[in-house]
Every structure is written in structure tokens, then in C-alpha cells.
Amino acid sequence: MKRALTTGVTGQDGSYLTELLLSKGYEVHGIIRRASTFHTERIDHLYQDPHLRGTRLFLHYGDLSDSVTLVKLLNELKPDEIYHLGAQSHVRVSFDIPEYTADINAVGTIRILEAIRQAGVRPRFYQASSSEMFGKVVEIPQRETTPFHPRSPYGVSKVFAFWATVNYRESYGLFAANGVLFNHESPRRGETFVTRKISRAVAHIKAGLQKKVYLGNLEAKRDWGYAPEYTEAMWLILQQDSPDDYVIATGETHSVQEFCEEAFGLVGLDWRRYVELDQRYLRPAEVDVLMGDPSKAKKRLGWEPKVKFKELVKIMVEADVKALEDRLAGKVPAVEDERP
Ligand code: NAP
Ligand code: GDD
């Protein structure tokens, strides 16, 4: 039985990846941060599964700021594969907390890579790299050879982590690989990312519980894919004969406004009546357009996206509508939108 260690196990991708690894027979160890409230709702269904509990999914307290614990865990667990997904992952927030973002995303990656060396283990290592590294893009579509020009402290931190991964591969012969993933979404997407903010607002507005949704730049364009498919690509990247870096994307790009049109349209509403601009959601520097070329992944990994834009919007809106209906049926009070 293969053993995987995952950082960011409580996040969107961590939860889908854990499902995938368990379905493939892995023993999965996840690192979670201590919080004053529960924050494991995305993996509770796995952790509480009586068939798995205490046998194949294990959670360990740790933090990417704490190298001692990382070394200790690697020594104890000696994993075959490490999926490093933990990060301060919000781009706009990274302008508010740049030092923290750099510490967790950039130095945190070095901490894990060094912990691997200190512990004297040889796991395969996956780094959650990002299309945000392309930033002010020099070509469309972006591919593995496209130069980086990050536009946020988050993007800068991910460029550092990308090159740290390459450097440990070249310096120490580690099987260390980057997945350069374009935006990927799902019903488990954090509520402050734009797609989920919109799909959630559509559900609340349709139910008469919210009047408006306040957004920033509607013109930004993103290459949005479906998260479960992207975690499959992560796994494939670590199953290859040699480590390499791959762009994972749909090859399509759509604006935030198109997402609004489609999402509101699905419940028969005109988005223009409900979407308002709020300057707070604008960024000091914006990434105007992202569109990836996944042809290397298709050729080498046999990976191809199946869910495209319209189906993705439908999946997210239907999930939020249903979740709200279930909550209301259970008489749980609905929470008003409006988060930072
Ligand atoms: P997410 O939902 O925001 O999850 C981030 C995870 O990192 C959470 O489990 C979080 O734990 C954990 N984390 C944050 N700070 C930490 C710390 N100091 N120590 C340990 N863990 C910490 O992000 P995601 O969408 O799943 O993305 C996964 C990874 O892929 C991230 O590295 C992200 O930057 C990268 N990425 C994402 C996309 C995308 O479109 N989703 C695209 C490219 C790259 P808590 O639950 O305790 O907050
Ligand atoms: N979050 C947010 N909130 N974004 C908004 C809003 C709003 O109210 N209004 C407009 N936007 C625009 C942002 O300015 C950006 O251009 C676009 O919507 C997408 O924003 P996010 O959903 O926050 O995602 P992101 O592209 O900045 O970052 C995500 O994708 C990266 C991959 O390219 C994150 O998941 C990153 O962790 C990931 O690396």
C-alpha cells in the first residue's frame, strides 16, 4: 500500500485529492492547522467513514511555518508521495498580508523540501504551482515555456516555490514536479473566490435572501476548469518515469461577466439587476487574461479536461441552490453574503 502525505488537506483540492488517493488504495496522511473552530467539513465525510476511520486516513497537526514538525512527520511517516497543496491561496488577500503569504507559500515550500532532506527520505514531491505566475502574460495561450511575470505577492511567492522545486530536483535528484494549474472550481471552492461567490449569491438571490452581490473587475478572464479532474492530473504527474512540470488547463477563457451571465441565466435572472461594483474587490495589479495550453499534459499524461465552462457553472449553481434548499428545509438560518 502506498503512503501519501498531503498539506492543505482541508482545502478544496486537498479534499478531492484525498478521495482520489483513498479510492486508489493509498494510506493518506494530512497535515491540518489547529483552529479554534472545526474546519474539516470538506473531509469529514471521509474521516468519519466507518470503513476508513483510523485505518487509511490520518490527520496530524502541523503548520507550514513550523519546520520542526514537518521534519518529525517526515521521519515518522516516510511517505512515498507528498502533495504540497497548503498555501495562503487568496490573491487579493496576499496584498494585505504579503509577508505571511511569502512565509507560508515560498519559505513553507523550502521548509518541506528541506524536511525531506533532513529526514533522509526520497518521496515523490508535487508542488501546487499556479497560472498566477504568468501574471502580465507575454503570450496567449500560456504553456510550460511561457516566462513568468507575477502581479501579486501570491504570484511572487508561487514563482519562488516553483523554482525551489526545480532547484531541489536539479541539485539533489529529487523526484520533484510542478503542476502549473489554471483556476479550477467546484462546489467546494472557498466562498471568497469569484466563481463560488457568484454561484452562492445566485442561490441566495433566487431564494429572496439576498438583494445584490458586490464584485470587482468583471472584465478579467480566466481559464476555469473542474477541480476533481485537476487533482487527477496531480496524481498522474507523480506516476511518471521522471519528474517534470506541466500546465493543466482547459484551453478556454471566459470573463467574470460571462460567468455572471451564465450563472444568473440558469435560474432565469438577469445578472445586471443584481451585480454591483465594489472598489474593495479591485486589486492593486490585475491579471487580465489567463488561458492555458494543456497539450503537453495530454501528450505525456494522457490527461484531458472534460468539464468545460457552461457545465462547470451549472454544477456550481445547482449545488449552491440545493445546499440552500436543504439548509432551509432543516430550518438552519441562511447567512448573508458579504465577506472580505
Ligand atoms: P484552499 O482551498 O484555499 O486550501 C488551502 C489549504 O492550505 C487549506 O487546507 C489551508 O488550511 C492550508 N493552509 C493555509 N495556510 C496554512 C499553513 N500556514 N500551514 C498549513 N496549511 C495551511 O486552496 P485550493 O484551491 O485547494 O488550492 C490548493 C493549492 O493549489 C494551493 O497551494 C493553491 O495556491 C494552489 N492553486 C490553486 C488553484 C485553484 O484554482 N484552486 C490554481 C493553482 C494553484 P485551513 O483549512 O486551515 O485554512
Ligand atoms: N475573489 C474575487 N472577488 N475576485 C473577483 C471579484 C470578487 O468580488 N470580482 C472580480 N473578481 C476577479 C478578480 O479580480 C480576478 O481577476 C478574477 O475575478 C478571479 O479571482 P479569484 O476567483 O479570486 O481567483 P484568482 O484568479 O485571483 O486566483 C485563483 O486562481 C489562481 C490560479 O490562477 C486562486 O485559486 C489562486 O490560489 C490560484 O493560484
Side-chain angles (χ1 to χ4, degrees):
M1 184 191 288
K2 273 194 189 172
R3 180 179 284 177
L5 175 65
T6 305
T7 68
V9 69
T10 54
Q12 171 188 255
D13 290 4
S15 68
Y16 287 119
L17 180 70
T18 301
E19 276 173 14
L20 179 78
L21 295 175
L22 289 172
S23 76
K24 289 186 181 297
Y26 278 67
E27 179 181 294
V28 181
H29 294 259
I31 297 181
I32 59 165
R33 301 194 280 180
R34 193 267 161 185
S36 65
T37 53
F38 293 123
H39 66 133
T40 53
E41 57 277 3
R42 290 184 178 111
I43 50 169
D44 282 346
H45 63 293
L46 298 171
Y47 198 62
Q48 289 160 1
D49 183 333
H51 302 298
L52 297 171
R53 191 174 163 70
T55 59
R56 284 175 45 214
L57 174 59
F58 302 86
L59 300 178
H60 308 267
Y61 283 114
D63 197 294
L64 288 162
S65 62
D66 176 8
S67 50
V68 174
T69 313
L70 297 175
V71 175
K72 183 173 139 279
L73 282 173
L74 279 171
N75 258 318
E76 277 172 23
L77 299 173
K78 303 194 180 356
D80 301 295
E81 295 171 9
I82 296 180
Y83 295 88
H84 176 36
L85 312 181
Q88 190 305 91
S89 72
H90 203 286
V91 174
R92 206 203 59 79
V93 171
S94 78
F95 288 99
D96 298 334
I97 48 170
E99 183 183 336
Y100 176 78
T101 302
D103 186 41
I104 298 310
N105 299 4
V107 185
T109 303
I110 284 281
R111 287 189 186 105
I112 297 237
L113 288 165
E114 265 307 294
I116 291 171
R117 284 194 345 112
Q118 299 277 325
V121 289
R122 302 291 291 175
R124 294 185 169 205
F125 177 82
Y126 173 87
Q127 165 58 20
S129 284
S130 165
S131 51
E132 271 289 310
M133 300 186 301
F134 297 122
K136 194 167 163 39
V137 301
V138 299
E139 62 178 348
I140 299 175
Q142 298 85 49
R143 44 181 72 90
E144 288 78 5
T145 50
T146 304
F148 300 142
H149 185 148
R151 295 275 279 171
S152 62
Y154 170 84
V156 172
S157 73
K158 285 286 181 176
V159 171
F160 180 100
F162 174 96
W163 284 115
T165 302
V166 173
N167 181 246
Y168 274 62
R169 178 165 84 212
E170 292 175 352
S171 304
Y172 307 115
L174 199 66
F175 191 115
N178 285 286
V180 182
L181 271 53
F182 283 61
N183 299 51
H184 45 280
E185 320 292 312
S186 74
R188 295 186 200 165
R189 184 57 141 154
E191 290 91 343
T192 61
F193 296 95
V194 78
T195 54
R196 184 75 200 290
K197 187 171 168 180
I198 296 166
S199 63
R200 209 169 154 273
V202 166
H204 282 74
I205 290 169
K206 178 177 174 274
L209 294 168
Q210 187 177 330
K211 289 190 175 61
K212 301 274 183 195
V213 59
Y214 296 91
L215 300 177
N217 182 9
L218 298 183
E219 286 168 19
K221 294 178 113 182
R222 290 291 181 275
D223 179 331
W224 281 299
Y226 185 43
E229 295 181 356
Y230 284 48
T231 54
E232 172 95 30
M234 295 174 186
W235 178 78
L236 285 168
I237 287 171
L238 289 201
Q239 309 315 308
Q240 302 309 300
D241 290 340
S242 53
D244 205 345
D245 309 317
Y246 298 89
V247 159
I248 303 296
T250 69
E252 285 184 13
T253 191
H254 298 273
S255 68
V256 175
Q257 180 174 315
E258 280 176 82
F259 198 103
C260 291
E261 284 166 14
E262 189 65 27
F264 279 91
L266 281 169
V267 297
L269 298 176
D270 181 351
W271 70 278
R272 282 167 296 199
R273 293 184 55 205
Y274 304 101
V275 174
E276 300 272 345
L277 173 70
D278 186 328
Q279 306 278 346
R280 282 183 304 162
Y281 299 116
L282 299 175
R283 296 165 183 194
E286 177 63 287
V287 172
D288 297 323
V289 55
L290 290 176
M291 185 171 118
D293 172 2
S295 47
K296 178 175 170 184
K298 184 177 177 188
K299 193 163 160 222
R300 301 264 190 88
L301 308 175
W303 180 90
E304 254 188 302
K306 293 176 196 72
V307 174
K308 295 292 182 73
F309 180 70
K310 284 194 178 197
E311 193 185 343
L312 174 67
V313 182
K314 191 162 181 280
I315 290 170
M316 293 184 72
V317 169
E318 286 181 354
D320 270 320
V321 167
K322 178 160 188 322
L324 183 59
E325 282 170 0
D326 289 351
R327 261 207 351 243
L328 293 173
K331 307 266 185 282
V332 183
V335 183
E336 263 292 323
D337 194 293
E338 259 330 278
R339 292 163 192 242

